[in-house]
Amino acid sequence: MQRFAALIDRLIYTRSRNAKLHALATYLRETPDPDRGWALAALTDSLDFPAVKSSTIRNLAGTRIDPDLFRLSRHHVGDTAETVALIWPGSEGVEPEDQRLSTVVDALAATTRTTAPDAVADLLHRMDVDSRYAMLKLALGGMRIGLSARLAKTAFAQAFDVSVDAVEEYWHALEPPYTELFAWAADGGPAPDLSAIPFFRPFMLSHPFEGESLDLTEYAAEWKWDGIRVQIARIAGETRLYSRGGDEISKAFPDVVAAFDVDGVVDGELMVRGEAQGADVAGGGAASFNALQKRLGRKTVSKKMLQEAPAFIRLYDLLVDGGTDRRELPWDQRRGHLEDFVPRLTADRFDLSQVIDVPDFEALAELRASSRDAAIEGVMLKRRDSPYLSGRKVGHWYKWKRDPLTADCVMMYAQRGNGRRASFYSDYTFGCWSDEGQLLPVGKAYSGFTDAELKMLDRFVRQNTLNRFGPVREVAKTLVLEVAFDSIHDSKRHKSGLAMRFPRIHRIRQDKPPEEADRVATLKAMVP
Amino acid sequence: MANSKHWIEPHPQGIYVRPADVWIDPSGAQPRAVVTHGHADHARGGHGQVWATRETLAIMGLRYGTDAGTALRYGETMEEGGVTFSLHSAGHVLGSAQILMEYQGERVVVTGDYKRRPDPTCAPFELVPCDIFITEATFGLPVFTHPPIAGEIGKLFDRLEAEPERCVLVGAYALGKAQRVIAELRAAGWDEPVYLHGALEKMCRLYEDLGVDLGMLRSVADTPKEEMAGKIVLCPPSALTDRWSRRLPNPVTAMASGWMRVRGRARQRNVELPLIISDHADWNELTSTIADLSPRETWITHGSEDGLLRWCELTQRKARALAMVGRGEEDDG
Ligand SMILES: [Zn+2]
Ligand SMILES: [Zn+2]
């Protein structure tokens, strides 16, 4: 347990991605089964002990410590689990035990609502302060230490020198503590048998298109829709919906999950139904990304939300058809199977992403330029003879994004970055002019510049600070930044009533006087 | 206020000893002041007459340009207006003192800041029996228990060993904490040079002049970047994420403070390696000192007074909080 606690703290305090990977990989290599599997599950929020609730812990603290002292302490610390870990009256003079993580997991899993308080108290008594914290976080679920599933898989692959793709496939198919996964990766055992599980297959990803032209007899063109890329898989009666990172998001979209009633695995864009956009290009209309965002990241969805923002998937590709893996087939043939597959699905939940029918590349370029539809991010170019490959392999798929929109804005505030950038002011809030001649914030960006430009911007912030609000500095409104963004929409987040998607610093316009920056009204006109 | 007629008067700007016409740690300039220790929230410049230990006067001299004042040794007494004053070591930083005052048979102790752990850079805390105990409460909540320092120094060494191509940059307050960290490193056998931010150099030199050996110290400004890989560098906390740190070889950001007990605090400061090292009494020290002394009354000057007040209530001790302004600013932790 002490090693696990040390790992948690290391991950909490480390900002660098590489250092996190290294810490986790080392832990996975050096820790025996099944402890390392439980650790992995805990870190990726795949463990649940329903009998232990936050209130269990709070009540328990109430039996050992004065409620006023607890309240004052909790207020200071800001986290119940940490407060209890720190405050728990250690058994004076008794050397804390270093129980195995699996022993702790077993103890927690065996509890009921009635036995949970005593069981947790017993564990707390035996542990040192950092282990108490780790145990309580483990018991309550949701470590929230900024470790994505993707990072965990990468660390696993790094630890045992196996391919991330393979890890990704097996991972979702297996249950904690993933003993078969470790047996395969660490001890050279056989690969796990996944035939009866709707597991996640790694996505095929694209590169940005930077060429001049492509031969459309070799490449097919499709719209790139502005939702989230998902994979939906159904095997032996069980359906699971996965995000691009391979996280299961079935609970947030029960409507589409329930409607997918044919065995197979498909790749598509998840969107919510809407009126205005997309209807002229293909199939039914989709709402903007903004509307979808309201449904993302939810553990449960209300009936109202299901009615107001019904989700659907526009399908791009087919990976598994019934029980047959089609990934080895060229795109042309997979497309044929997909076109046969889609009519078997509920029509208002699943439709086919149309192939753009144009005679040549020039016609495609023209069509792409003329389309300012907010639901369309650009065009995908897919090699007709490519198999479905995992990851981002060169020469197969290209993403030809629309040229970004740009606006000239004035820097208003700056904030320090994280990690490598902790000593630089690298996050900028910028604004445009209102009709009354007031500067109103329209967005925030922390990318798009080179290292040299970052140094220049950092210097500007330090030399032009007007006010400090904690970590934020208000700067003199003199520097014009040309900001590029994918789209802009109405939002309550900024005083201007606007919010940009993917804003980044395109150019620093030292040549431009701030009065000549864009007006909010100009940006409003770009809202679709 | 029940004690408003008492010969010791707490005011927001300090403690006034009426019969002697003397202020203790006043926050603004006063004609006559007794100063517990050199931290800026206790020692201000511009007083008329000052009484303090020789070391505290020297520290004030370094900071305010004048060390004029009357030096008192620990245990030495002086009398002003019928009040007998004496200073007793507080174990907080070099020269830190508790102030014992006796007047008409009543004994009052003002702790200033104190700790009860051993510290190689200053004299150990002395338990001074009294009727009224006027204490600090910086860490007056039961979540604050400082672990033994050896383990924290060990964490620092472990990190150096694990990543020898980096340096460990420890944020430490210029007065007291920095020198204690260096002295503890020496005690643990670290005989490499310790590299210093310019803002720490003068105080370290003063400590050495006053007889505290800190081993080999070097200035970061005079050192090539590569030389500091695998070494320990100290700076004031404010410099931790400042541009200054760019001249170091990929530093592991550490901070030596009692506040590092709380993860959120460490993360707020972007600290990668929190070291729970404090020059203040932790919860157990605060409560056990009151229990050891069993004073008739406990008055609390600054810190988490609500927590300590509640403990006094639970253990049926008479206590009150004094609302002192501006305390805990410099040496917070
Ligand atoms: Zn102090
Ligand atoms: Zn203080």
Side-chain angles (χ1 to χ4, degrees):
Chain A
M1 195 66 197
Q2 286 172 8
R3 285 191 51 121
F4 177 66
L7 173 68
I8 301 284
D9 277 339
R10 190 65 182 269
L11 294 171
I12 286 178
Y13 294 125
T14 303
R15 307 262 162 166
S16 130
R17 182 174 181 274
N18 276 341
K20 282 184 200 223
L21 281 175
H22 181 76
L24 181 52
T26 309
Y27 176 89
L28 293 176
R29 243 190 337 263
E30 294 176 356
T31 308
D33 287 320
D35 298 12
R36 54 187 174 182
W38 290 125
L40 208 48
L43 291 170
T44 52
D45 291 343
S46 317
L47 275 187
D48 189 22
F49 303 102
V52 189
K53 297 242 179 307
S54 187
S55 57
T56 320
I57 313 279
R58 257 194 325 271
N59 294 340
L60 194 58
T63 64
R64 313 287 156 132
I65 181 113
D66 172 61
D68 277 353
L69 283 175
F70 184 77
R71 184 179 47 76
L72 290 166
S73 299
R74 165 73 181 73
H75 181 76
H76 190 99
V77 173
D79 177 272
T80 300
E82 186 170 5
T83 309
V84 173
L86 289 172
I87 222 170
W88 193 260
S91 357
E92 289 292 314
V94 179
E95 197 49 30
E97 286 173 42
D98 188 13
Q99 287 175 297
R100 288 188 63 163
L101 179 57
S102 51
T103 314
V104 174
V105 168
D106 290 345
L108 289 170
T111 56
T112 63
R113 284 278 264 283
T114 354
T115 62
D118 283 343
V120 173
D122 181 59
L123 288 169
L124 286 169
H125 267 313
R126 294 161 185 267
M127 290 178 177
D128 66 10
V129 53
D130 291 337
S131 301
R132 292 201 289 257
Y133 173 75
M135 185 274 287
L136 290 174
K137 283 283 167 192
L138 173 89
L140 292 172
M143 291 256 178
R144 287 198 202 94
I145 53 174
L147 189 86
S148 69
R150 178 78 199 167
L151 196 82
K153 286 165 207 162
T154 311
F156 184 97
Q158 223 171 63
F160 305 111
D161 198 18
V162 290
S163 98
V164 190
D165 295 344
V167 174
E168 195 136 30
E169 288 220 0
Y170 297 147
W171 179 289
H172 291 276
L174 302 169
E175 297 285 324
Y178 314 113
T179 324
E180 305 97 309
L181 189 68
F182 284 100
W184 161 72
D187 310 328
D193 173 22
L194 310 178
S195 57
I197 307 162
F199 66 89
F200 170 75
R201 273 84 173 167
F203 278 104
M204 179 159 179
L205 304 171
S206 62
H207 280 273
F209 179 65
E210 277 154 359
E212 293 288 299
S213 175
L214 276 179
D215 182 351
L216 290 191
T217 58
E218 281 177 30
Y219 285 85
E222 259 183 279
W223 294 114
K224 185 178 182 333
W225 298 94
D226 190 15
I228 58 163
R229 185 94 179 271
V230 293
Q231 179 178 108
I232 188 159
R234 182 186 153 99
I235 307 280
E238 191 194 345
T239 306
R240 292 184 198 165
L241 180 68
Y242 297 104
S243 71
R244 218 187 79 168
D247 294 315
E248 199 186 335
I249 51 168
S250 310
K251 285 200 179 113
F253 298 95
D255 39 359
V256 283
V257 170
F260 194 74
D261 51 7
V262 183
D263 276 9
V265 180
V266 288
D267 171 342
E269 196 82 13
L270 180 88
M271 294 181 277
V272 297
R273 287 284 171 202
E275 290 303 308
Q277 296 121 19
D280 57 328
V281 195
S288 68
F289 185 78
N290 214 17
L292 171 63
Q293 228 160 10
K294 294 186 187 121
R295 285 197 55 180
L296 287 173
R298 289 179 182 271
K299 286 237 157 116
T300 56
V301 218
S302 67
K303 272 212 178 94
K304 187 163 163 265
M305 195 156 274
L306 288 173
Q307 265 163 13
E308 281 175 3
F312 73 102
I313 301 179
R314 186 149 288 164
L315 299 172
Y316 293 134
D317 215 321
L318 175 132
L319 288 68
V320 177
D321 188 357
T324 317
D325 196 325
R326 304 272 191 217
R327 284 180 289 175
E328 295 294 317
L329 296 180
W331 177 86
D332 266 338
Q333 292 185 34
R334 293 201 312 278
R335 178 76 192 183
H337 287 292
L338 178 67
E339 285 172 9
D340 294 341
F341 189 83
V342 174
R344 296 158 62 195
L345 299 166
T346 320
D348 61 342
R349 294 291 182 190
F350 303 94
D351 60 26
L352 190 63
S353 174
Q354 301 296 320
V355 173
I356 304 171
D357 188 21
V358 279
D360 53 31
F361 197 80
E362 285 70 52
L364 179 66
E366 211 166 287
L367 191 60
R368 165 180 166 273
S370 66
S371 145
R372 270 290 163 202
D373 194 313
I376 292 172
E377 259 194 277
V379 169
M380 292 298 299
L381 297 160
K382 298 180 175 174
R383 227 188 130 87
R384 292 179 188 272
D385 59 5
S386 297
Y388 193 94
L389 301 164
S390 71
R392 200 172 264 119
K393 308 271 167 18
V394 182
H396 299 278
W397 282 12
Y398 293 105
K399 172 167 54 191
W400 193 19
K401 278 203 165 187
R402 288 192 315 199
D403 293 330
L405 300 163
T406 62
D408 288 336
C409 309
V410 182
M411 189 196 288
M412 301 178 71
Y413 304 95
Q415 200 172 344
R416 279 183 209 260
N418 283 330
R420 200 170 64 82
R421 287 211 196 141
S423 71
F424 290 97
Y425 284 89
S426 61
D427 297 10
Y428 313 104
T429 302
F430 41 82
C432 288
W433 300 105
S434 72
D435 290 340
E436 292 75 39
Q438 215 192 335
L439 212 48
L440 299 179
V442 295
K444 209 175 166 181
Y446 40 85
S447 66
F449 35 75
T450 63
D451 282 357
E453 285 173 323
L454 173 59
K455 279 200 180 133
M456 184 259 135
L457 289 165
D458 179 65
R459 202 175 328 119
F460 171 82
V461 172
R462 291 173 194 273
Q463 290 170 356
N464 292 277
T465 300
L466 298 180
N467 276 306
R468 294 159 195 241
F469 311 98
V472 177
R473 290 194 181 196
E474 181 182 5
V475 297
K477 314 297 180 308
T478 54
L479 184 65
V480 177
L481 302 170
E482 185 180 327
V483 177
F485 49 97
D486 284 6
S487 63
I488 189 161
H489 47 82
D490 296 322
S491 160
K492 292 199 181 75
R493 194 169 356 136
H494 297 297
K495 216 174 163 189
S496 58
L498 293 170
M500 294 172 170
R501 248 197 113 199
F502 296 137
R504 60 258 180 201
I505 308 296
H506 194 54
R507 243 177 298 180
I508 304 169
R509 296 292 304 266
Q510 277 162 306
D511 55 318
K512 202 159 196 181
E515 311 81 69
E516 287 177 25
D518 277 312
R519 287 152 34 97
V520 173
T522 315
L523 270 66
K524 276 217 166 95
M526 297 180 186
V527 174
Chain B
M1 231 190 266
N3 283 289
S4 60
K5 292 264 166 52
H6 197 271
W7 57 279
I8 300 258
E9 297 174 14
H11 293 273
Q13 67 271 31
I15 290 166
Y16 182 58
V17 188
R18 183 162 291 280
D21 185 27
V22 156
W23 287 84
I24 296 173
D25 289 356
S27 57
Q30 295 290 352
R32 290 154 61 85
V34 181
V35 175
T36 58
H37 67 288
H39 279 141
D41 55 334
H42 298 259
R44 304 276 160 133
H47 301 313
Q49 259 182 295
V50 178
W51 291 269
T53 61
R54 178 175 77 100
E55 294 84 356
T56 298
L57 289 173
I59 291 162
M60 291 173 73
L62 185 66
R63 297 192 145 178
Y64 304 119
T66 164
D67 58 358
T70 311
L72 292 173
R73 282 187 304 277
Y74 291 134
E76 187 182 342
T77 58
M78 68 152 187
E79 210 189 290
E80 291 289 324
V83 184
T84 307
F85 289 80
S86 57
L87 304 187
H88 302 266
S89 70
H92 174 55
V93 297
L94 182 60
S96 66
Q98 310 173 71
I99 297 164
L100 167 66
M101 290 163 285
E102 295 184 76
Y103 181 65
Q104 296 180 346
E106 188 174 59
R107 289 164 64 93
V108 178
V109 165
V110 178
T111 64
D113 293 331
Y114 78 96
K115 72 169 174 292
R116 301 190 66 174
R117 316 270 173 131
D119 177 341
T121 66
C122 65
F125 176 86
E126 183 188 339
L127 198 62
V128 184
C130 55
D131 302 297
I132 297 177
F133 184 57
I134 305 183
T135 178
E136 65 138 323
T138 304
F139 291 112
L141 285 171
V143 286
F144 291 109
T145 51
H146 310 323
I149 193 166
E152 302 303 293
I153 296 288
K155 278 191 212 164
L156 200 162
F157 289 146
D158 288 348
R159 199 56 180 266
L160 274 179
E161 202 178 325
E163 295 178 284
E165 71 293 349
R166 304 177 73 182
C167 68
V168 174
L169 174 63
V170 186
Y173 287 94
L175 166 56
K177 189 67 61 65
Q179 297 78 21
R180 179 173 175 217
V181 169
I182 298 170
E184 290 287 356
L185 289 170
R186 299 304 182 209
W190 183 256
D191 45 23
E192 297 283 342
V194 171
Y195 297 84
L196 299 180
H197 182 282
L200 302 180
E201 288 175 19
K202 275 190 189 157
M203 193 58 78
C204 287
R205 219 169 300 135
L206 179 65
Y207 259 62
E208 295 204 298
D209 290 347
L210 293 170
V212 181
D213 182 16
L214 298 176
M216 203 194 309
L217 303 178
R218 288 209 184 133
S219 159
V220 168
D222 303 338
T223 309
K225 197 176 196 169
E226 320 77 64
E227 186 187 319
M228 292 180 281
K231 303 289 165 57
I232 297 165
V233 183
L234 262 67
C235 70
S238 58
L240 271 182
T241 54
D242 197 40
R243 271 188 296 180
W244 172 84
S245 66
R246 291 181 206 164
R247 67 182 69 190
L248 303 174
N250 191 13
V252 175
T253 313
M255 166 98 179
S257 163
W259 299 116
M260 293 298 106
R261 193 39 128 175
V262 176
R263 286 172 178 78
R265 286 268 191 150
R267 277 170 60 97
Q268 224 170 44
R269 281 186 162 273
N270 274 324
V271 167
E272 283 176 80
L273 179 64
L275 302 172
I276 310 163
I277 299 177
S278 175
D279 286 335
H280 289 268
D282 70 2
W283 172 255
N284 293 331
E285 292 167 66
L286 288 171
T287 53
S288 67
T289 303
I290 298 173
D292 288 349
L293 292 171
S294 267
R296 197 180 74 231
E297 276 184 46
T298 299
W299 299 359
I300 304 164
T301 53
H302 63 299
S304 295
E305 50 265 53
D306 290 349
L308 198 55
L309 214 51
R310 175 65 184 157
W311 179 84
C312 289
E313 189 185 330
L314 288 169
T315 53
Q316 295 172 326
R317 298 168 195 277
K318 198 169 171 195
R320 59 186 278 221
L322 318 175
M324 297 288 202
V325 293
R327 293 298 146 95
E329 273 170 14
E330 186 196 18
D331 61 320
D332 54 333

